Amino acid sequence: IAAGVTIDPNDYGIYNLAATDATVTTGAGVTVTVIDNDLDQVAFGIYNESAAAADTAALDPSVEVSLGANNTITVDQDGAGGEVDGAMGVYAVNSGGGTGSVSVIVADGADIQVWGDGAGGIIADTQSGTGDITIDVGTGIIYSWTGDGADTVGNLPGNVGIGALPGGGDIVITSS
């Protein structure tokens, strides 16, 4: 996604589902605004999934999300902070059930805000697999605002700024 692009849908800002390598890379100053005004409780800024059981090569995770500097991701129900239970700013997942790994890199100046119970800013997930999870976040803000206290979706155990959901691999979360 080129620098300065604005994306504004109902359900998914960016949706990428691949059988092998799943990669999303944004330039600087990209804005993703997801307003779930169809009220279906599906609201993801970036959804990036690989079904690969293993990484394609050493040091090449099957799921990669790289956000450029000064990216903004906002997910809510009405454009004014209305809640969307289970909403996620970035969801990077390997669903292959093997050793496939997940990497999320966020450059400086991030502004990620999601509204809803059980919502998450950045979530990396290997489901039942044993792949590793790496999350590196630069400067900026990540907010996961609660709603009315009644989570109708159950994606996460509560509101999460940055979360790693491993099936058994190693987790490394850093801030540079």
Side-chain angles (χ1 to χ4, degrees):
I1 309 299
V5 169
T6 298
I7 301 170
D8 186 4
N10 283 346
D11 294 334
Y12 298 94
I14 299 169
Y15 180 89
N16 187 25
L17 173 60
T20 56
D21 242 13
T23 301
V24 172
T25 303
T26 66
V30 171
T31 299
V32 178
T33 303
V34 178
I35 299 174
D36 185 39
N37 53 18
D38 61 358
L39 306 177
D40 64 357
Q41 301 296 321
V42 175
F44 296 87
I46 297 173
Y47 181 99
N48 191 39
E49 178 181 352
S50 170
D55 295 338
T56 55
L59 303 176
D60 182 16
S62 57
V63 178
E64 297 173 273
V65 175
S66 297
L67 302 183
N70 304 311
N71 275 212
T72 299
I73 298 174
T74 305
V75 182
D76 75 1
Q77 185 260 323
D78 57 8
E83 74 173 288
V84 181
D85 293 348
M88 294 186 202
V90 174
Y91 183 56
V93 57
N94 180 291
S95 59
T99 59
S101 59
V102 176
S103 171
V104 178
I105 299 171
V106 180
D108 289 343
D111 181 356
I112 299 173
Q113 300 189 40
V114 294
W115 280 265
D117 297 304
I122 298 171
I123 305 297
D125 187 356
T126 56
Q127 295 188 338
S128 63
T130 58
D132 297 336
I133 293 174
T134 303
I135 302 172
D136 182 40
V137 179
T139 63
I141 59 172
I142 300 172
Y143 290 121
S144 180
W145 307 95
T146 60
D148 61 9
D151 183 358
T152 60
V153 178
N155 285 342
L156 299 170
N159 281 57
V160 177
I162 299 172
L165 306 172
D170 293 335
I171 300 170
V172 177
I173 299 175
T174 56
S175 179
S176 51

